[in-house]
Amino acid sequence: MNGENKKLLTLTIFGGTGDLTFRKLLPALYNLQETNKLDKQMNIVIIGRRSYTTKEYGKIACDWIQKFSRLSYQEESIQQFLQRLHYYQMDFTNIDAYQGLQAYYAQLGCKEHLFYFAVAPRFFEVIANGLFHVMPAQQGKVIVEKPFGEDLISAKKLNQYLENFFQKENVYHIDHYLGKEMIRNMQAIRFMNPIFQGVWNHEFIDHVEISALEEVGVENRGGYYDQSGALKDMVQNHLLQILSIVAMEKPNHFFGDDMHEKQLEVLRSLKPIDKSNIKESMVLAQYEGYRDEDKVDPNSHTETYAALKLYIDNERWKDVPFYIRTGKKLGRREMEVVITFKQSEPEVEPNVLIIKIQPTEGVYFRFNIKKPGDSDEVVPASMDFCQSCLDFNRINTPEAYERLLLAAMHSESSWFSQWEQIETSWTFIEQLKQFYDETNQTLATYPQNSDGPIETKVLFPDGQHWNKATV
Ligand code: BG6
């Protein structure tokens, strides 16, 4: 496309004074500019209800960028950044306000649009409706934040609604875990190394663990979180997406529909858990003191921790348990995928491969050697590759939101969740929760800063356990 015909993209963020915009989106956009990835003339329109001028908003934006940007804050660059930033005050629930927005776009010369709905899902509909009150439908792209709906029914409705206005391929469901460096690295580690690719199956793998442990509690998000809980907030999206990448068959191409299909096959092959085995398959728990958190119901039964044992019903993963867990107030922030291989001899430790996702990014591998010296004893040894240590200042590693914003600008959908995946994982999680409630399982509790509830031992009748392999 030559320069003259090129239509300038405008990014509009609804929810411009929210936490996500301040902590993630603005710093990510600033970093994209710093690394010369933003078109020089791209406009960013920030929509908020509060009455700020663009100048006032710019000052606030600078403070957040200074605090949260991975690249250092440069006065000259920030001035350039502010030139593309426009604050537009409006109540996005008022349909009549969109005429004014359209006039504002005309004034700025905006033609091509990417919208970012950084708001609660209950507002998606009203915003889409407002936009297409003044613009032709089926134009522009939209990025929607998770949670996509509050349950399967609302997610379906939302999807239908968005697809009335946007073309299916122009709806980008963001799952920021898919933008993380080591999740993106998983395919290379798996498929570009015959030593792993060849043994990635039930013959050699004993079990898989996917853990996303958080040190923080619900902080200022009690109102949202109490309606959601760990299953909907983390498992339905982030953890099942990761599981689908760990377990998928090799796609012909590592991008686009091919990859999505392989992921979807995994999600569709999750072995159903029913009332008879729910007790041994899922443990939910709440941290002590959660009910005293701001905006949380004092009698809340919302889980802040979830652990599950899942099986994938296909030949590759026959009888291999996938243990997944996530929770808040667990005393440390740690996300990793742990592949434990079968023991070669009963008295010898198993090989373990750990893909470390955060806070350290790297790969750890444990193997067996003969103890040095005269002894013939076999002992474990390990190799620990720390990728984030090499790029200590994170100069070369973009944040998840940087990658995903850029991908949506370039219409690359590989690392976004697809509607069919979302629908399949909602169906699976909802059914689990329904069986859990119908069989009157007891919500466990755990002390803050602990490893989580001891009740998860029911998931491991065969002596397996959560990873403690790192030496
Ligand atoms: C979000 C959840 O999607 O992911 C939060 O809503 C959670 O509850 C967060 O804290 C964790 O993200 P990260 O990148 O800090 O692991």
Side-chain angles (χ1 to χ4, degrees):
M1 203 182 277
N2 75 36
E4 277 171 32
N5 290 334
K6 192 172 147 196
K7 288 198 190 150
L8 259 191
L9 186 71
T10 298
L11 170 67
T12 302
I13 303 177
F14 287 88
T17 52
D19 232 36
L20 177 74
T21 304
F22 286 141
R23 283 172 197 263
K24 300 285 186 190
L25 303 183
L26 290 174
L29 289 163
Y30 172 75
N31 288 330
L32 284 173
Q33 176 185 280
E34 272 300 88
T35 44
N36 295 322
K37 292 189 181 124
L38 284 195
D39 192 302
K40 283 212 165 47
Q41 292 162 42
M42 192 187 104
N43 284 312
I44 302 171
V45 175
I46 303 283
I47 308 280
R49 256 180 236 242
R50 291 181 213 171
S51 97
Y52 294 129
T53 60
T54 287
K55 200 166 171 202
E56 285 163 346
Y57 184 84
K59 266 198 184 141
I60 300 170
C62 287
D63 291 344
W64 287 94
I65 291 170
Q66 197 155 17
K67 222 161 149 189
F68 287 100
S69 163
R70 95 186 145 84
L71 298 176
S72 65
Y73 177 95
Q74 308 287 343
E75 199 45 51
E76 198 181 319
S77 320
I78 200 80
Q79 289 312 323
Q80 280 171 15
F81 185 73
L82 291 181
Q83 287 184 3
R84 56 169 91 241
L85 206 63
H86 308 274
Y87 184 80
Y88 187 76
Q89 186 200 358
M90 74 181 263
D91 171 3
F92 56 64
T93 62
N94 173 10
I95 197 148
D96 298 330
Y98 288 80
Q99 301 285 0
L101 180 63
Q102 192 195 27
Y104 191 63
Y105 283 146
Q107 202 182 317
L108 292 174
C110 309
K111 300 247 162 50
E112 191 112 316
H113 290 280
L114 172 61
F115 302 103
Y116 199 122
F117 291 0
V119 294
R122 66 179 184 281
F123 295 120
F124 291 178
E125 191 173 323
V126 82
I127 297 174
N129 210 4
L131 285 174
F132 294 103
H133 184 56
V134 295
M135 286 177 191
Q138 305 285 307
Q139 285 192 349
K141 303 185 268 193
V142 64
I143 305 177
V144 290
E145 261 301 325
K146 66 156 272 277
F148 193 72
E150 279 135 25
D151 50 25
L152 180 62
I153 294 180
S154 64
K156 272 187 178 163
K157 262 200 202 148
L158 210 53
N159 183 55
Q160 269 167 7
Y161 205 82
L162 286 178
E163 286 185 9
N164 284 342
F165 293 120
F166 295 96
Q167 285 175 3
K168 186 178 163 84
E169 65 273 20
N170 285 336
V171 180
Y172 294 83
H173 303 99
I174 206 162
D175 181 318
H176 77 282
Y177 269 57
L178 299 183
K180 290 189 190 269
E181 176 68 23
M182 293 308 288
I183 304 282
R184 304 282 279 250
N185 211 331
M186 207 99 82
Q187 292 178 333
I189 294 168
R190 247 192 92 175
F191 297 116
M192 301 300 145
N193 294 299
I195 56 160
F196 297 136
Q197 192 182 348
V199 294
W200 211 262
N201 58 51
H202 72 99
E203 270 183 68
F204 296 95
I205 292 180
D206 185 76
H207 64 278
V208 176
E209 172 186 330
I210 301 172
S211 279
L213 314 183
E214 292 193 82
E215 192 171 2
V216 292
V218 289
E219 299 186 298
N220 55 358
R221 296 165 74 226
Y224 150 74
Y225 195 87
D226 206 37
Q227 299 300 313
S228 175
L231 272 181
K232 292 182 182 178
D233 184 53
M234 292 289 288
V235 178
Q236 182 269 333
N237 34 69
H238 304 321
L239 295 196
L240 289 184
Q241 280 290 328
I242 296 170
L243 179 140
S244 71
I245 294 170
V246 174
M248 71 183 179
E249 296 301 309
K250 187 177 179 184
N252 292 328
H253 305 286
F254 291 123
F255 50 83
D257 290 347
D258 235 27
M259 183 173 144
H260 294 144
E261 263 168 42
K262 300 293 179 208
Q263 285 180 267
L264 185 59
E265 275 173 19
V266 173
L267 295 173
R268 289 193 170 148
S269 307
L270 284 171
K271 212 169 177 172
I273 294 171
D274 57 32
K275 286 187 189 174
S276 67
N277 60 353
I278 187 90
K279 195 171 189 309
E280 301 84 57
S281 306
M282 178 164 86
V283 174
L284 302 183
Q286 191 181 76
Y287 64 77
E288 290 166 4
Y290 169 74
R291 293 174 184 185
D292 302 328
E293 299 274 18
D294 190 29
K295 301 207 181 94
V296 166
D297 175 354
N299 298 311
S300 172
H301 279 86
T302 300
E303 76 285 357
T304 59
Y305 178 101
L308 289 94
K309 175 157 68 172
L310 304 174
Y311 288 93
I312 297 166
D313 207 359
N314 65 18
E315 187 50 32
R316 179 183 294 278
W317 296 112
K318 195 165 172 255
D319 298 331
V320 177
F322 280 70
Y323 297 103
I324 66 180
R325 66 173 163 164
T326 183
K328 294 197 181 286
K329 287 271 184 197
L330 289 172
R332 65 189 192 280
R333 179 173 185 248
E334 187 177 272
M335 158 107 222
E336 56 188 24
V337 175
V338 185
I339 313 287
T340 303
F341 292 86
K342 292 193 165 151
Q343 285 167 284
S344 56
E345 304 284 340
E347 62 281 3
V348 166
E349 294 289 332
N351 291 150
V352 177
L353 173 72
I354 303 179
I355 300 168
K356 298 182 186 178
I357 294 158
Q358 64 189 26
T360 306
E361 291 163 358
V363 181
Y364 166 95
F365 185 55
R366 191 177 75 184
F367 53 100
N368 291 306
I369 55 161
K370 185 192 84 59
K371 195 171 182 179
D374 294 336
S375 164
D376 281 335
E377 192 187 339
V378 174
V379 290
S382 62
M383 293 197 241
D384 205 353
F385 167 63
C386 174
Q387 180 158 301
S388 43
C389 304
L390 301 178
D391 186 13
F392 189 65
N393 292 319
R394 305 192 64 76
I395 299 296
N396 299 315
T397 314
E399 295 281 349
Y401 275 97
E402 282 173 57
R403 289 181 211 267
L404 296 171
L405 276 165
L406 192 65
M409 287 173 201
H410 292 172
S411 305
E412 289 163 7
S413 65
S414 303
W415 292 94
F416 289 88
S417 318
Q418 301 303 295
W419 163 244
E420 288 74 14
Q421 298 167 353
I422 296 173
E423 186 181 26
T424 310
S425 44
W426 262 129
T427 309
F428 187 78
I429 289 298
E430 261 192 14
Q431 201 165 62
L432 274 181
K433 188 65 172 65
Q434 186 190 332
F435 291 150
Y436 182 88
D437 291 341
E438 284 174 9
T439 51
N440 298 318
Q441 304 295 322
T442 327
L443 184 71
T445 56
Y446 58 100
Q448 296 191 16
N449 303 320
S450 68
D451 280 345
I454 48 170
E455 284 79 353
T456 61
K457 61 179 189 277
V458 300
L459 305 178
F460 304 107
D462 303 325
Q464 294 158 338
H465 48 74
W466 298 117
N467 168 54
K468 32 184 192 263
T470 322
V471 290

